[in-house]
Amino acid sequence: MSRPPLQIAILISGRGSNMAAIARRCREGRINARVGAVISDRPGAAGLDTARALGIATHVVPWQGPAGRPAFEQALARILAAANPGIIVLAGFMRILSPQFVASRAGRILNIHPSLLPRYRGLHTHRRVLEAGDREHGASVHFVTAELDGGPIVVQSRIAVTAGDTEESLSARVQATEHIIYPRVIGWLADGRLQWRQDRPWLDGRPLDEPVLEDFREPLQS
Ligand code: GAR
C-alpha cells in the first residue's frame, strides 16, 4: 500500500529553518512528501538560498503593502496552480492571507506560530511571555482559517520558561521544538493519518478536539 508522495509548497519570509527541517526530512525519506516549491514575499529571505542549496525551486512574490494584496495573491495563486501542492505550509511567512484566499483552500494550509495558542496571537510572542511572567511557552501547528492564528490546532510543543530566559533564548528553544513538531504533522498528512473533513481536522479516524501536546519541558538532548 504505497501512497504517492504529498506535494508541498512552503511559504517563507525569512530564515527558513522550519522549511529546511521539513525539506531535509522529506529528502531523507522520513516523510512521504516532496517540497516542490519555496515561495518568499521577501527577495532577500535567507531561506531562499537554503532552499536552492537543497535543490528546491524557489519563487519570489514581492509584498507591495496591504493595497497590493490582490495582485500578490494572484501571483501566488499562479505559482501554486503550477506546483499543485496537496498542502501549503506557512513557515515563518509573515503576511496575512485574505479570507477569500484561505477559504478557497480550506484544510490545505498549515501554519506554525511561536506560542501556545490561543495565547499570544500576532507578533512578539516571546517578549509577551516574558512580560507576563509565564512559566511555560511553546509553539502551535494549526490549520489556517480566516481568523488570524485562530484555526484548529493539531500539535503544540511545550517548554519551560526559566529564570534568566531572554527573547533570544526562548526563540531558540521554541524553534528547536518547531523543527520536530512541524515535520511530524506533515508526516501524518502524508500518511493519511491527519485529514481535513467536515471543516475540521481528524487524526487516526477521530475528530481532533484537543491539540496533541508534545512536552519538551525536560531539556532537549540535541
Ligand atoms: C518561527 O519561529 C515561526 O514560529 C515564526 O517565525 C519563525 C520563523 O523561523 N512564525 C511566526 O511568527 C508567524 N506568525 P524560520 O524562518 O527559521 O522557520
Side-chain angles (χ1 to χ4, degrees), residues 11-20 47 90-95 111-115 121-126 138-140 142 148-149 171 174-175 178-179 182:
L11 273 59
I12 63 169
S13 297
R15 191 161 68 111
S17 68
N18 279 286
M19 174 277 297
L90 310 187
F93 178 68
M94 303 307 281
R95 303 296 169 197
N111 183 40
I112 191 155
H113 182 76
S115 80
R121 296 179 183 187
L123 299 174
H124 309 303
T125 58
H126 310 303
S140 306
H142 67 94
L148 180 65
D149 298 330
S171 167
V174 167
Q175 283 209 357
E178 294 182 343
H179 300 162
Y182 216 176

Short mmCIF file of all heavy atoms in Angstrom, two decimals, residues 11-20 47 90-95 111-115 121-126 138-140 142 148-149 171 174-175 178-179 182, ligand 1:
data_model
loop_
_atom_site.label_atom_id
_atom_site.label_comp_id
_atom_site.label_asym_id
_atom_site.label_seq_id
_atom_site.Cartn_x
_atom_site.Cartn_y
_atom_site.Cartn_z
N LEU A 11 5.78 28.54 2.10
CA LEU A 11 5.89 30.00 2.03
C LEU A 11 6.73 30.49 3.20
O LEU A 11 6.48 30.11 4.36
CB LEU A 11 4.48 30.64 2.11
CG LEU A 11 3.73 30.79 0.78
CD1 LEU A 11 3.52 29.46 0.09
CD2 LEU A 11 2.39 31.49 1.01
N ILE A 12 7.71 31.31 2.89
CA ILE A 12 8.62 31.83 3.92
C ILE A 12 8.74 33.34 3.78
O ILE A 12 8.39 33.92 2.74
CB ILE A 12 10.03 31.20 3.82
CG1 ILE A 12 10.68 31.57 2.46
CG2 ILE A 12 9.97 29.68 3.97
CD1 ILE A 12 12.17 31.21 2.39
N SER A 13 9.29 33.96 4.84
CA SER A 13 9.65 35.38 4.75
C SER A 13 11.07 35.62 5.21
O SER A 13 11.60 36.73 5.03
CB SER A 13 8.72 36.23 5.63
OG SER A 13 7.40 36.17 5.21
N GLY A 14 11.70 34.63 5.86
CA GLY A 14 12.99 34.89 6.47
C GLY A 14 13.96 33.74 6.40
O GLY A 14 14.27 33.22 5.33
N ARG A 15 14.40 33.30 7.58
CA ARG A 15 15.50 32.35 7.67
C ARG A 15 15.17 30.99 7.06
O ARG A 15 16.02 30.32 6.50
CB ARG A 15 15.85 32.18 9.17
CG ARG A 15 17.13 31.43 9.43
CD ARG A 15 17.60 31.72 10.83
NE ARG A 15 16.70 31.13 11.81
CZ ARG A 15 17.02 30.10 12.60
NH1 ARG A 15 18.22 29.56 12.51
NH2 ARG A 15 16.18 29.64 13.47
N GLY A 16 13.94 30.55 7.25
CA GLY A 16 13.54 29.29 6.62
C GLY A 16 14.03 28.05 7.33
O GLY A 16 14.16 26.99 6.71
N SER A 17 14.27 28.15 8.64
CA SER A 17 14.77 26.95 9.33
C SER A 17 13.70 25.87 9.41
O SER A 17 14.01 24.67 9.36
CB SER A 17 15.31 27.29 10.72
OG SER A 17 14.27 27.70 11.58
N ASN A 18 12.44 26.25 9.54
CA ASN A 18 11.37 25.24 9.53
C ASN A 18 11.26 24.60 8.15
O ASN A 18 11.08 23.39 8.03
CB ASN A 18 10.03 25.86 9.95
CG ASN A 18 9.91 25.98 11.45
OD1 ASN A 18 9.71 24.99 12.14
ND2 ASN A 18 10.08 27.19 11.98
N MET A 19 11.34 25.43 7.12
CA MET A 19 11.30 24.90 5.75
C MET A 19 12.41 23.87 5.57
O MET A 19 12.19 22.77 5.03
CB MET A 19 11.47 26.09 4.78
CG MET A 19 11.60 25.74 3.32
SD MET A 19 13.27 25.29 2.82
CE MET A 19 14.15 26.82 3.14
N ALA A 20 13.62 24.22 6.03
CA ALA A 20 14.76 23.31 5.85
C ALA A 20 14.55 22.02 6.63
O ALA A 20 14.87 20.93 6.14
CB ALA A 20 16.05 24.01 6.29
N GLY A 47 16.22 32.08 3.62
CA GLY A 47 15.72 30.73 3.34
C GLY A 47 15.72 30.39 1.86
O GLY A 47 15.72 29.21 1.50
N LEU A 90 2.92 27.31 5.70
CA LEU A 90 3.45 28.63 6.06
C LEU A 90 4.51 28.42 7.14
O LEU A 90 4.22 27.86 8.20
CB LEU A 90 2.33 29.54 6.59
CG LEU A 90 1.06 29.65 5.75
CD1 LEU A 90 0.12 30.72 6.33
CD2 LEU A 90 1.37 29.94 4.29
N ALA A 91 5.72 28.84 6.84
CA ALA A 91 6.84 28.58 7.75
C ALA A 91 7.61 29.88 7.96
O ALA A 91 8.53 30.19 7.21
CB ALA A 91 7.74 27.48 7.18
N GLY A 92 7.18 30.64 8.94
CA GLY A 92 7.77 31.96 9.15
C GLY A 92 7.35 32.92 8.05
O GLY A 92 8.09 33.84 7.71
N PHE A 93 6.16 32.70 7.50
CA PHE A 93 5.62 33.59 6.47
C PHE A 93 4.85 34.69 7.19
O PHE A 93 3.89 34.39 7.91
CB PHE A 93 4.71 32.80 5.53
CG PHE A 93 4.06 33.63 4.46
CD1 PHE A 93 4.83 34.19 3.43
CD2 PHE A 93 2.70 33.86 4.46
CE1 PHE A 93 4.24 34.95 2.44
CE2 PHE A 93 2.10 34.62 3.46
CZ PHE A 93 2.87 35.16 2.45
N MET A 94 5.31 35.94 7.05
CA MET A 94 4.82 36.99 7.94
C MET A 94 3.76 37.89 7.31
O MET A 94 3.54 39.00 7.77
CB MET A 94 6.02 37.83 8.44
CG MET A 94 7.09 37.00 9.15
SD MET A 94 6.45 35.96 10.50
CE MET A 94 6.27 37.20 11.80
N ARG A 95 3.07 37.39 6.30
CA ARG A 95 1.97 38.15 5.70
C ARG A 95 0.65 37.47 6.03
O ARG A 95 0.60 36.25 6.21
CB ARG A 95 2.12 38.21 4.18
CG ARG A 95 3.42 38.81 3.72
CD ARG A 95 3.54 40.25 4.14
NE ARG A 95 4.90 40.73 3.92
CZ ARG A 95 5.37 41.83 4.48
NH1 ARG A 95 4.61 42.56 5.30
NH2 ARG A 95 6.60 42.21 4.25
N ASN A 111 0.03 26.38 9.36
CA ASN A 111 0.91 27.44 9.85
C ASN A 111 1.57 26.97 11.14
O ASN A 111 1.02 26.12 11.84
CB ASN A 111 0.11 28.72 10.13
CG ASN A 111 0.99 29.88 10.57
OD1 ASN A 111 2.09 30.07 10.03
ND2 ASN A 111 0.55 30.65 11.54
N ILE A 112 2.73 27.55 11.43
CA ILE A 112 3.33 27.35 12.75
C ILE A 112 3.46 28.71 13.41
O ILE A 112 3.86 29.69 12.78
CB ILE A 112 4.67 26.59 12.69
CG1 ILE A 112 5.08 26.18 14.10
CG2 ILE A 112 5.77 27.39 11.99
CD1 ILE A 112 6.00 24.98 14.16
N HIS A 113 3.07 28.74 14.67
CA HIS A 113 3.07 30.02 15.40
C HIS A 113 3.82 29.82 16.73
O HIS A 113 3.58 28.83 17.42
CB HIS A 113 1.63 30.46 15.68
CG HIS A 113 1.56 31.78 16.37
ND1 HIS A 113 1.78 32.98 15.71
CD2 HIS A 113 1.34 32.10 17.66
CE1 HIS A 113 1.68 33.97 16.58
NE2 HIS A 113 1.42 33.47 17.77
N PRO A 114 4.69 30.78 17.07
CA PRO A 114 5.54 30.57 18.25
C PRO A 114 4.86 30.95 19.57
O PRO A 114 5.34 31.82 20.30
CB PRO A 114 6.76 31.46 17.96
CG PRO A 114 6.21 32.57 17.12
CD PRO A 114 5.09 31.99 16.32
N SER A 115 3.77 30.30 19.87
CA SER A 115 3.13 30.44 21.19
C SER A 115 2.19 29.28 21.40
O SER A 115 1.86 28.54 20.47
CB SER A 115 2.36 31.76 21.32
OG SER A 115 1.09 31.65 20.69
N ARG A 121 -1.60 35.44 20.12
CA ARG A 121 -1.68 35.55 18.66
C ARG A 121 -0.84 36.75 18.25
O ARG A 121 -0.58 37.64 19.06
CB ARG A 121 -3.13 35.78 18.23
CG ARG A 121 -4.03 34.60 18.56
CD ARG A 121 -5.45 34.88 18.16
NE ARG A 121 -6.30 33.75 18.56
CZ ARG A 121 -7.56 33.62 18.24
NH1 ARG A 121 -8.17 34.54 17.51
NH2 ARG A 121 -8.26 32.58 18.64
N GLY A 122 -0.47 36.82 16.98
CA GLY A 122 0.24 38.00 16.48
C GLY A 122 1.73 37.96 16.75
O GLY A 122 2.33 36.88 16.84
N LEU A 123 2.31 39.15 16.92
CA LEU A 123 3.77 39.29 16.93
C LEU A 123 4.35 39.31 18.36
O LEU A 123 3.62 39.42 19.33
CB LEU A 123 4.17 40.58 16.21
CG LEU A 123 3.75 40.67 14.73
CD1 LEU A 123 4.08 42.06 14.17
CD2 LEU A 123 4.44 39.58 13.90
N HIS A 124 5.69 39.22 18.42
CA HIS A 124 6.47 39.41 19.66
C HIS A 124 6.02 38.47 20.77
O HIS A 124 5.89 38.86 21.94
CB HIS A 124 6.37 40.87 20.13
CG HIS A 124 6.70 41.85 19.05
ND1 HIS A 124 7.90 41.84 18.39
CD2 HIS A 124 5.96 42.83 18.47
CE1 HIS A 124 7.90 42.80 17.47
NE2 HIS A 124 6.73 43.40 17.50
N THR A 125 5.79 37.23 20.42
CA THR A 125 5.25 36.29 21.40
C THR A 125 6.23 36.04 22.56
O THR A 125 5.80 35.94 23.70
CB THR A 125 4.91 34.95 20.72
OG1 THR A 125 6.09 34.43 20.10
CG2 THR A 125 3.82 35.13 19.67
N HIS A 126 7.52 35.93 22.24
CA HIS A 126 8.49 35.61 23.31
C HIS A 126 8.55 36.77 24.33
O HIS A 126 8.56 36.54 25.53
CB HIS A 126 9.87 35.34 22.71
CG HIS A 126 9.83 34.36 21.57
ND1 HIS A 126 9.32 33.10 21.70
CD2 HIS A 126 10.22 34.47 20.27
CE1 HIS A 126 9.39 32.46 20.54
NE2 HIS A 126 9.93 33.28 19.66
N GLY A 138 5.69 27.80 24.11
CA GLY A 138 5.79 26.74 23.13
C GLY A 138 5.42 27.22 21.74
O GLY A 138 5.48 28.40 21.44
N ALA A 139 5.03 26.27 20.91
CA ALA A 139 4.67 26.55 19.52
C ALA A 139 3.44 25.73 19.17
O ALA A 139 3.18 24.69 19.79
CB ALA A 139 5.82 26.19 18.58
N SER A 140 2.70 26.22 18.18
CA SER A 140 1.47 25.55 17.75
C SER A 140 1.48 25.37 16.24
O SER A 140 1.75 26.33 15.50
CB SER A 140 0.24 26.39 18.12
OG SER A 140 0.22 26.73 19.48
N HIS A 142 -1.08 24.69 13.29
CA HIS A 142 -2.54 24.74 13.14
C HIS A 142 -2.95 24.91 11.68
O HIS A 142 -2.15 25.41 10.87
CB HIS A 142 -3.12 25.89 13.99
CG HIS A 142 -2.72 27.26 13.53
ND1 HIS A 142 -3.49 28.03 12.69
CD2 HIS A 142 -1.61 28.01 13.79
CE1 HIS A 142 -2.88 29.18 12.47
NE2 HIS A 142 -1.74 29.19 13.12
N LEU A 148 -7.05 35.17 12.21
CA LEU A 148 -5.59 35.18 12.35
C LEU A 148 -5.13 34.33 13.53
O LEU A 148 -5.56 34.55 14.67
CB LEU A 148 -5.10 36.63 12.53
CG LEU A 148 -3.59 36.79 12.68
CD1 LEU A 148 -2.85 36.38 11.43
CD2 LEU A 148 -3.24 38.21 13.08
N ASP A 149 -4.25 33.38 13.26
CA ASP A 149 -3.71 32.47 14.28
C ASP A 149 -4.83 31.76 15.06
O ASP A 149 -4.66 31.39 16.22
CB ASP A 149 -2.78 33.22 15.26
CG ASP A 149 -1.57 33.81 14.56
OD1 ASP A 149 -1.13 33.24 13.55
OD2 ASP A 149 -1.07 34.86 15.01
N SER A 171 13.28 32.05 21.93
CA SER A 171 13.09 31.83 20.50
C SER A 171 13.87 30.59 20.05
O SER A 171 13.35 29.74 19.31
CB SER A 171 13.56 33.08 19.73
OG SER A 171 13.67 32.79 18.38
N VAL A 174 12.17 27.41 21.50
CA VAL A 174 10.88 27.15 20.84
C VAL A 174 11.13 26.64 19.42
O VAL A 174 10.52 25.66 18.97
CB VAL A 174 9.99 28.41 20.83
CG1 VAL A 174 8.82 28.24 19.88
CG2 VAL A 174 9.49 28.71 22.23
N GLN A 175 12.06 27.27 18.73
CA GLN A 175 12.32 26.85 17.34
C GLN A 175 12.84 25.42 17.26
O GLN A 175 12.48 24.68 16.34
CB GLN A 175 13.29 27.81 16.65
CG GLN A 175 12.60 29.10 16.26
CD GLN A 175 13.21 29.75 15.04
OE1 GLN A 175 14.19 29.28 14.49
NE2 GLN A 175 12.64 30.86 14.63
N GLU A 178 9.93 23.43 17.20
CA GLU A 178 9.19 23.58 15.93
C GLU A 178 9.72 22.62 14.88
O GLU A 178 8.96 22.05 14.09
CB GLU A 178 9.30 25.02 15.42
CG GLU A 178 8.61 26.05 16.29
CD GLU A 178 8.68 27.46 15.73
OE1 GLU A 178 9.52 27.73 14.84
OE2 GLU A 178 7.90 28.30 16.17
N HIS A 179 11.06 22.48 14.88
CA HIS A 179 11.68 21.62 13.84
C HIS A 179 11.34 20.15 14.03
O HIS A 179 11.61 19.33 13.17
CB HIS A 179 13.21 21.82 13.86
CG HIS A 179 13.60 23.25 13.58
ND1 HIS A 179 14.83 23.77 13.88
CD2 HIS A 179 12.88 24.27 13.06
CE1 HIS A 179 14.86 25.05 13.54
NE2 HIS A 179 13.69 25.38 13.04
N TYR A 182 6.66 20.32 13.41
CA TYR A 182 6.10 20.64 12.08
C TYR A 182 6.29 19.48 11.10
O TYR A 182 5.33 19.03 10.46
CB TYR A 182 6.72 21.94 11.55
CG TYR A 182 5.76 22.83 10.76
CD1 TYR A 182 6.16 24.07 10.29
CD2 TYR A 182 4.44 22.43 10.49
CE1 TYR A 182 5.30 24.90 9.59
CE2 TYR A 182 3.57 23.25 9.78
CZ TYR A 182 4.01 24.48 9.33
OH TYR A 182 3.14 25.30 8.63
C1 GAR B 1 9.28 30.58 13.59
O1 GAR B 1 9.65 30.60 14.96
C2 GAR B 1 7.78 30.66 13.46
O2 GAR B 1 7.10 30.08 14.53
C3 GAR B 1 7.54 32.13 13.43
O3 GAR B 1 8.61 32.67 12.71
C4 GAR B 1 9.75 31.84 12.89
C5 GAR B 1 10.31 31.55 11.52
O4 GAR B 1 11.53 30.91 11.59
N1 GAR B 1 6.31 32.43 12.80
C6 GAR B 1 5.53 33.46 13.11
O5 GAR B 1 5.83 34.27 13.97
C7 GAR B 1 4.23 33.53 12.34
N2 GAR B 1 3.37 34.49 12.92
P1 GAR B 1 12.15 30.22 10.31
O6 GAR B 1 12.05 31.21 9.16
O7 GAR B 1 13.58 29.96 10.67
O8 GAR B 1 11.38 28.96 10.04
#
